[in-house]
Amino acid sequence: YFDVSRPCASGVNPIEPIPCSSSTTTTESACNRQGDHTETTGSTDMPPSCPMPTSIRLDLVHTSPVVTTALRHELRRGERPLRVTTAVHSWVHFQEEWDFTGPFVVLDALLDDHVPLPLKVRALRRLGSQTIIIGPERETPFARRAAAEGAVAWIEPTVGLAEVAETIRDVCGGHVPHHARVDPAAAPVTTLTDRELQVLTLYVASRGHSPAHIGRILALRTSTIRSHLERGRARYRAAGLPTNNRAALRAALEADGWTLPAHVWIEAGRP
């Protein structure tokens, strides 16, 4: 992923410890954080490195604790600080801790769980939040499908931490830089329900989940999982795409942008 060892724009080490846990929701005092080297003096003035009360709120979901801590720290600094109120490492924890009011959510494109990225973006859009994606493969059908579902930007982690943070600030300020823009995908060849997408993407994952295992993940009966699989396959067959085996089904889902090719996960160290 991007090099978090590179100096930030503020000249502060992005790995500097932050006193509050990165897996809990917090609204921080502006003058008593360990990293700011500022003492409370009774003045109502905010130190330059702290977010102003009117700063834009941001929520962050990223698999890596190191990336989460470093990016959170960098986003709170500089002339355009962002107020990071939720910083967690999984979609499940985000659902547990988020208060459903944040205007912007930064998502790791490679969160490995039971909900495909486009469905996460769709859910956030329905709740009124705009999604910024951090991940590889910005020119793929997967990224374009996320854009079609409502993602406003896709940032590839090929630059330093400060550049990623600056791009996020630009997007939150209403301007999406050219390098973070994604053209939305056209309509998929067939319409699948949210549950069918969940089941089908888990089934074609490189781990090769069985219907019984998927049922345990989603707390559904194996027979229900098999029904979702068959209905999903039938929809693709009706659209003229063969899905008689797992590889063919994966190819159909990749073409529609519902899942990434297996090699992307492997190259990212998340097979």
Side-chain angles (χ1 to χ4, degrees):
Y1 242 63
F2 49 72
D3 185 2
V4 295
S5 66
R6 292 176 57 179
C8 299
S10 60
V12 176
N13 185 342
I15 312 299
E16 182 181 348
I18 297 173
C20 51
S21 169
S22 60
S23 62
T24 56
T25 304
T26 57
T27 301
E28 299 169 327
S29 168
C31 298
N32 61 5
R33 297 205 311 268
Q34 178 179 332
D36 291 327
H37 310 293
T38 305
E39 298 181 356
T40 303
T41 61
S43 170
T44 58
D45 293 334
M46 303 285 284
S49 61
C50 297
M52 297 296 288
T54 57
S55 62
I56 297 173
R57 169 180 166 170
L58 184 79
D59 299 295
L60 176 61
V61 189
H62 198 286
T63 304
S64 168
V66 173
V67 171
T68 301
T69 301
L71 184 57
R72 181 185 191 186
H73 193 66
E74 175 64 13
L75 286 168
R76 296 183 308 189
R77 293 186 171 274
E79 297 179 355
R80 296 188 296 164
L82 297 176
R83 183 163 55 95
V84 181
T85 55
T86 305
V88 293
H89 311 309
S90 74
W91 183 251
V92 171
H93 289 153
F94 181 64
Q95 289 176 299
E96 292 173 350
E97 299 187 15
W98 195 46
D99 61 7
F100 301 96
T101 60
F104 291 95
V105 178
V106 176
L107 279 184
D108 180 0
L110 300 181
L111 288 172
D112 188 9
D113 52 45
H114 63 291
V115 183
L117 178 68
L119 286 190
K120 294 183 178 81
V121 176
R122 180 187 296 177
L124 291 169
R125 186 198 67 213
R126 288 171 176 170
L127 292 168
S129 295
Q130 300 185 68
T131 307
I132 302 168
I133 309 296
I134 297 179
E137 308 291 332
R138 184 172 63 91
E139 300 296 333
T140 61
F142 186 64
R144 291 192 287 272
R145 179 59 55 206
E149 293 296 336
V152 295
W154 188 289
I155 305 171
E156 292 192 302
T158 56
V159 296
L161 184 70
E163 290 89 338
V164 171
E166 196 65 16
T167 300
I168 292 173
R169 291 189 185 98
D170 286 340
V171 175
C172 292
H175 169 66
V176 181
H178 179 75
H179 66 268
R181 296 176 187 172
V182 184
D183 294 327
V189 298
T190 190
T191 301
L192 300 167
T193 67
D194 289 5
R195 183 66 82 186
E196 287 167 355
L197 282 170
Q198 273 190 299
V199 171
L200 266 60
T201 53
L202 284 170
Y203 182 71
V204 303
S206 58
R207 294 184 181 89
H209 296 305
S210 67
H213 183 67
I214 296 172
R216 289 193 292 272
I217 293 173
L218 301 180
L220 296 173
R221 294 185 178 184
T222 301
S223 59
T224 302
I225 298 299
R226 294 187 185 278
S227 295
H228 286 307
L229 278 172
E230 181 50 40
R231 281 197 296 269
R233 282 175 156 161
R235 294 182 197 276
Y236 274 115
R237 287 196 298 270
L241 294 176
T243 56
N244 55 319
N245 57 53
R246 201 184 298 248
L249 180 58
R250 168 175 271 282
L253 290 167
E254 285 180 9
D256 265 345
W258 296 121
T259 190
L260 274 168
H263 73 85
V264 177
W265 293 93
I266 293 171
E267 290 170 1
R270 308 181 199 181

